[in-house]
Amino acid sequence: MIKILLAFILSFLLSLILMPLIKKVFKRIHASQTILKYVENHKEKDGTLTMGGVVFIISTLLLVFFFLKYDTTWFMCLLVSVFFGVLGFMDDFIKVKYKQNLGLRAYQKIIGQVGIAVIFALYLYFSNVGTSIFLPFTSNSFDLKFFIIPLVIIVLLASTNSVNLTDGLDGLAGSVSLIYLVFFTIITTIISGVLYSQGVTGEIIQNTESLAVISMLLCGSILAFLLFNTNKASIFMGDVGSLCLGGYIGASACVLGQELLLLILGFCFVISAVSVILQVLVFKLKRKRIFKMAPFHHHLQLSGLSEAKVVAIYSSITLILGVICVILYLL
């Protein structure tokens, strides 16, 4: 517990120091966001600095070896997060360089995301680390064997794109990710304790402890970043930040067999993805829009809610779900 708290505090302080430096560098190279023309209610954000999510990667990599001894599993999980972040950085860089909102082409993003996901899925399968999946609110699990490979690929693609889609309002993706990671750490620690009391030892316990440290390193960095990102934001996390967080959220869930918990605790991420899918499908089939704008947080904003209120709603939902999950796991 002391190690986890210390990881959070040091990451917060380091990120707090790094953020002004990052802003200064990005301001010098004119790394600013270009807002799409049809997003009228966000036109005042045009020119806001972006790619602030690099702080998640930098601070975590600088601190992680102070707290953890090298182990292939947690290192692979961290690499997934970093590689997704690098993919996002490439996307952001193209946008910044050419002063437009279109970065990597869709097929380039898909190839990159699928490639990372496939490598990680194969690692989990052949190392037999994450082939089992836990049933929600229990310590019971069942082994998916080979079928863990397509599941991990789907989870990683869904988590990265869902967090990316949620990153549409000041402080939204950061706030929801912060609350998610805090409760994910609490819940997986509870499960680990139950398994240990049942005589289960080995990698599942070790992986839970290691990922708890990495989660808190990210949480400290996210909290520091939010001081610069809440409305009115002076810097956005960019795809480098959202894909990095989404990659870690998906990878950590897969390593610990908590893919189903991700669906519940990450409900607000699910809303973002599902709302976009429904909007596209219904429009193609009936030429009608079921939301004023997708993802759903934009629909709420166009319905008259302020950015701060939408962020508060999403954060509250994630917080309530987290508390409910903890209670159900303790029963």
Side-chain angles (χ1 to χ4, degrees):
M1 182 60 71
I2 294 176
K3 182 188 287 187
I4 290 174
L5 291 175
L6 188 59
F8 175 81
I9 293 170
L10 289 182
S11 180
F12 172 76
L13 293 176
L14 177 60
S15 298
L16 204 58
I17 294 170
L18 288 173
M19 277 309 301
L21 299 176
I22 289 172
K23 286 183 61 180
K24 188 174 182 179
V25 171
F26 286 170
K27 189 172 184 179
R28 183 170 296 178
I29 64 173
H30 305 290
S32 57
Q33 181 77 40
T34 301
I35 303 298
L36 290 170
K37 293 181 179 180
Y38 64 80
V39 188
E40 286 294 324
N41 55 331
H42 283 186
K43 61 183 179 181
E44 77 280 357
K45 297 183 181 183
D46 193 79
T48 303
L49 295 176
T50 188
M51 299 196 293
V54 297
V55 73
F56 307 150
I57 297 175
I58 295 172
S59 62
T60 302
L61 290 179
L62 287 176
L63 293 173
V64 67
F65 287 103
F66 284 99
F67 293 96
L68 298 174
K69 292 182 179 180
Y70 174 81
D71 179 79
T72 306
T73 301
W74 71 253
F75 188 68
M76 282 292 293
C77 191
L78 186 59
L79 277 184
V80 167
S81 177
V82 171
F83 283 146
F84 271 112
V86 170
L87 184 65
F89 182 85
M90 293 169 62
D91 191 43
D92 288 330
F93 184 78
I94 293 172
K95 295 174 185 176
V96 167
K97 183 177 180 180
Y98 295 103
K99 298 299 176 185
Q100 39 102 3
N101 203 267
L102 299 174
L104 293 172
R105 296 182 182 275
Y107 77 88
Q108 294 172 323
K109 290 182 183 178
I110 292 173
I111 290 173
Q113 291 177 344
V114 171
I116 297 169
V118 167
I119 292 172
F120 187 64
L122 290 174
Y123 164 73
L124 291 184
Y125 174 69
F126 286 108
S127 63
N128 202 35
V129 171
T131 58
S132 294
I133 183 171
F134 281 86
L135 297 175
F137 315 124
T138 73
S139 58
N140 301 320
S141 64
F142 56 95
D143 195 346
L144 290 181
K145 300 186 184 303
F146 174 81
F147 294 101
I148 196 65
I149 295 177
L151 178 62
V152 169
I153 294 171
I154 291 170
V155 169
L156 281 177
L157 294 180
S159 63
T160 50
N161 287 291
S162 295
V163 176
N164 184 244
L165 288 170
T166 305
D167 184 32
L169 302 179
D170 293 351
L172 182 59
S175 297
V176 175
S177 296
L178 175 62
I179 298 170
Y180 170 91
L181 286 173
V182 168
F183 279 100
F184 181 80
T185 301
I186 293 172
I187 292 167
T188 52
T189 302
I190 292 172
I191 296 171
S192 179
V194 172
L195 291 173
Y196 186 78
S197 67
Q198 294 173 348
V200 177
T201 58
E203 285 194 0
I204 184 67
I205 308 298
Q206 182 180 336
N207 291 337
T208 301
E209 294 173 353
S210 299
L211 293 180
V213 171
I214 297 176
S215 294
M216 287 303 102
L217 287 173
L218 283 171
C219 283
S221 187
I222 293 170
L223 183 60
F225 172 75
L226 283 172
L227 297 179
F228 302 85
N229 182 243
T230 48
N231 194 262
K232 184 181 178 182
S234 61
I235 188 169
F236 301 141
M237 70 168 65
D239 283 5
V240 59
S242 60
L243 293 184
C244 167
L245 292 178
Y248 177 77
I249 286 171
S252 58
C254 292
V255 164
L256 298 179
Q258 297 298 335
E259 292 90 342
L260 297 179
L261 174 62
L262 171 55
L263 285 175
I264 300 169
L265 190 56
F267 178 71
C268 287
F269 296 135
V270 175
I271 289 176
S272 296
V274 171
S275 63
V276 171
I277 293 170
L278 288 176
Q279 184 87 320
V280 172
L281 287 178
V282 172
F283 185 78
K284 285 188 175 182
L285 291 173
K286 298 185 177 181
R287 311 305 295 179
K288 292 181 180 179
R289 290 183 172 86
I290 55 177
F291 304 112
K292 294 180 180 179
M293 187 176 177
F296 187 65
H297 53 261
H298 286 314
H299 171 82
L300 294 177
Q301 190 182 17
L302 291 175
S303 297
L305 296 181
S306 66
E307 284 196 47
K309 188 163 289 187
V310 175
V311 173
I313 291 171
Y314 272 57
S315 299
S316 297
I317 291 173
T318 307
L319 179 63
I320 291 169
L321 287 172
V323 171
I324 291 173
C325 287
V326 168
I327 292 172
L328 291 175
Y329 273 103
L330 288 174
L331 289 178

